[in-house]
Amino acid sequence: MEIFNHLLLVSYLLPLVVTYPSIYPFYPPTCYTKVLIMARELTQWAAYLKMDPETSYCMAHMPDLYLDVHNGCVMYKMRAYISLVEGLRQRRCAYTREVRKVGVTLRQLFIIMSEKCHGDLVFTSFDCAALER
């Protein structure tokens, strides 16, 4: 009877153990994974702002933002984009929350990449033209 109870317990716990890594990964978030996630979100967010009816008027002249954290030119690209976003203050959309948040988040990513994760990141290419897609 006791063997049956153990088998029953294992049959209930086995699906939880098997699906555990997909729900909660075993690895803690590292600086590198944080940079990857932030870069992907910022790339998508900037593309959304260029298409959004509320911000498309003043974001139309902005270059496309594509952040490849493995490209050595990404730091230059982020600095240039930050200065362009800060230069939008003359236009109405610069005061929307979404545009300000992109600028602030991009500045945070720049600081994280340059100061916090400096030793964790490896630039595998230095192709500035690849970031201008």
Side-chain angles (χ1 to χ4, degrees):
M1 185 68 181
E2 192 160 326
I3 292 175
F4 178 73
N5 287 339
H6 285 307
L7 285 174
L8 189 60
L9 179 65
V10 168
S11 69
Y12 284 127
L13 293 178
L14 188 62
L16 293 175
V17 171
V18 170
T19 61
Y20 182 77
S22 64
I23 298 172
Y24 302 105
F26 286 107
Y27 58 88
T30 62
C31 200
Y32 176 70
T33 57
K34 181 168 183 67
V35 165
L36 282 176
I37 291 168
M38 284 180 75
R40 186 179 337 119
E41 287 175 353
L42 278 167
T43 299
Q44 293 170 352
W45 203 358
Y48 168 75
L49 287 179
K50 286 185 80 155
M51 294 184 303
D52 186 33
E54 185 178 340
T55 57
S56 64
Y57 169 71
C58 59
M59 294 292 286
H61 75 283
M62 297 286 286
D64 291 335
L65 181 65
Y66 172 64
L67 299 175
D68 179 11
V69 298
H70 301 107
N71 192 333
C73 293
V74 74
M75 301 300 282
Y76 170 74
K77 174 81 172 185
M78 284 193 298
R79 270 193 310 241
Y81 205 87
I82 288 169
S83 66
L84 286 173
V85 169
E86 288 174 353
L88 288 175
R89 295 183 185 196
Q90 299 86 1
R91 299 175 184 246
R92 186 177 74 80
C93 77
Y95 297 105
T96 63
R97 183 176 22 196
E98 292 86 12
V99 174
R100 282 185 292 159
K101 189 153 172 115
V102 164
V104 168
T105 307
L106 192 58
R107 185 175 294 280
Q108 287 175 347
L109 178 62
F110 183 82
I111 291 169
I112 290 170
M113 286 181 70
S114 62
E115 295 176 9
K116 310 269 190 226
C117 298
H118 185 68
D120 293 348
L121 299 176
V122 176
F123 298 125
T124 57
S125 68
F126 290 92
D127 184 12
C128 295
L131 295 176
E132 302 295 329
R133 60 177 190 143

